[in-house]
Amino acid sequence: MTTLPAPVRRRSHGWISQLVGVAALLLVWWFFTKVRPLFPSYVLPAPDAVLKELQYGLFGELPDGRLGVSIINSLRRVAIGYVTALALGLGFGMVLAASKSVRDVVGGWLTAVQSIPSIAFVPFAILLFGLNDRAVLFVVILEGFIPVTLAVSSALQNVPPGWRTAGRTLGASSTQLFTKVLLPASLPNLATGARLAWSFSWRALIGAELLTANPGLGQALEIGRNTANMALVLATILIVGVLGGLFDAVLHVLETRVRRNYGLEVLS
């Protein structure tokens, strides 16, 4: 009989535990909506009602099948905003790492801005750009840009000074020092910053769409609220959670792989 390696067994057990948790949650939900209802069905619908709304939204014809279009619109916006935030954050993080004067001027307030909830920037974005995609993208880019900038700046500053000295001693130019020494040495922290930026960008996207009336998952939540359709609200929350979790899982795998390659994380 073939025995699975210990890490594979542990991963399998992890998935099984998560499935058991989901099944337990569904059972509790079903019990308190079907057997011993705690609230009216229009306040807390049963799992089958949410599943029906989900199927209707994903596979029904427009305008009822709006969830499929909403998913496409939201993914398009977050892809544009996230990639832009990564590019801008990488560039500005390098400037911060290279210049102490710039760090002294903007480093403190950059950290302060990061502590402001993304929803607080939505009214500012609406007044600046109007009720359109640009307002949503502004909030998404802002929320993704700051963690990437801080991660890049911190990563480059924390490269051991001896590595820079060794590169210079071996005759590396400034470009070679950055591309051959500093950037590779910073990759683990950059991977962590990229994953963190995704989390910020995704949450900012939903909040911005909620208030800017642009077709998307956030607006689907608002439609559900306006029409008192709790099944639509829960179905949309489910989609937001699943999509956010899937992308985070992919980035987590990439981050873990980078850290293992650098000997910063052991196989568990």
Side-chain angles (χ1 to χ4, degrees):
M1 191 174 105
T2 304
T3 304
L4 292 174
V8 176
R9 286 204 305 272
R10 280 194 285 272
R11 283 197 291 271
S12 300
H13 291 163
W15 278 106
I16 292 173
S17 299
Q18 291 182 30
L19 289 176
V20 169
V22 171
L25 177 63
L26 288 174
L27 183 61
V28 171
W29 184 4
W30 171 81
F31 181 82
F32 287 113
T33 52
K34 289 290 190 180
V35 182
R36 299 292 297 272
L38 292 179
F39 301 98
S41 59
Y42 61 87
V43 175
L44 182 60
D48 59 331
V50 175
L51 180 60
K52 184 178 179 182
E53 184 68 37
L54 192 60
Q55 291 176 326
Y56 199 53
L58 289 176
F59 305 112
E61 295 181 358
L62 291 174
D64 298 315
R66 53 184 173 268
L67 282 178
V69 177
S70 298
I71 291 172
I72 294 172
N73 285 332
S74 292
L75 290 180
R76 174 179 57 81
R77 291 191 190 103
V78 78
I80 296 172
Y82 180 63
V83 171
T84 305
L86 287 180
L88 294 177
L90 179 62
F92 196 60
M94 290 163 52
V95 173
L96 275 185
S99 172
K100 185 177 183 305
S101 300
V102 178
R103 287 201 302 275
D104 291 340
V105 173
V106 302
W109 64 258
L110 206 57
T111 305
V113 171
Q114 190 181 26
S115 67
I116 301 174
S118 59
I119 199 77
F121 291 107
V122 177
F124 174 74
I126 292 174
L127 291 174
L128 194 62
F129 297 106
L131 290 168
N132 51 45
D133 268 10
R134 287 183 296 172
V136 178
L137 288 175
F138 173 81
V139 178
V140 173
I141 292 171
L142 180 64
E143 287 299 306
F145 162 76
I146 295 177
V148 174
T149 298
L150 295 177
V152 171
S153 174
S154 175
L156 292 176
Q157 290 178 70
N158 289 327
V159 173
W163 294 20
R164 299 171 187 264
T165 305
R168 291 290 188 194
T169 304
L170 293 172
S173 64
S174 296
T175 303
Q176 289 172 328
L177 186 67
F178 177 75
T179 57
K180 303 292 185 183
V181 178
L182 299 181
L183 190 58
S186 306
L187 275 182
N189 287 333
L190 297 184
T192 302
R195 185 185 170 202
L196 193 61
W198 159 258
S199 178
F200 277 86
S201 296
W202 183 241
R203 284 181 289 184
L205 171 80
I206 301 303
E209 287 182 342
L210 193 65
L211 299 180
T212 52
N214 293 304
L217 289 172
Q219 193 52 209
L221 288 170
E222 181 67 4
I223 292 173
R225 185 187 71 84
N226 289 334
T227 57
N229 186 348
M230 183 61 86
L232 174 59
V233 171
L234 292 177
T236 307
I237 290 175
L238 184 64
I239 293 173
V240 171
V242 170
L243 288 177
L246 282 176
F247 281 99
D248 183 74
V250 171
L251 291 173
H252 178 61
V253 170
L254 296 176
E255 177 192 4
T256 303
R257 182 165 297 179
V258 170
R259 294 181 66 82
R260 280 178 185 161
N261 290 341
Y262 279 73
L264 298 175
E265 191 168 319
V266 296
L267 189 65
S268 61

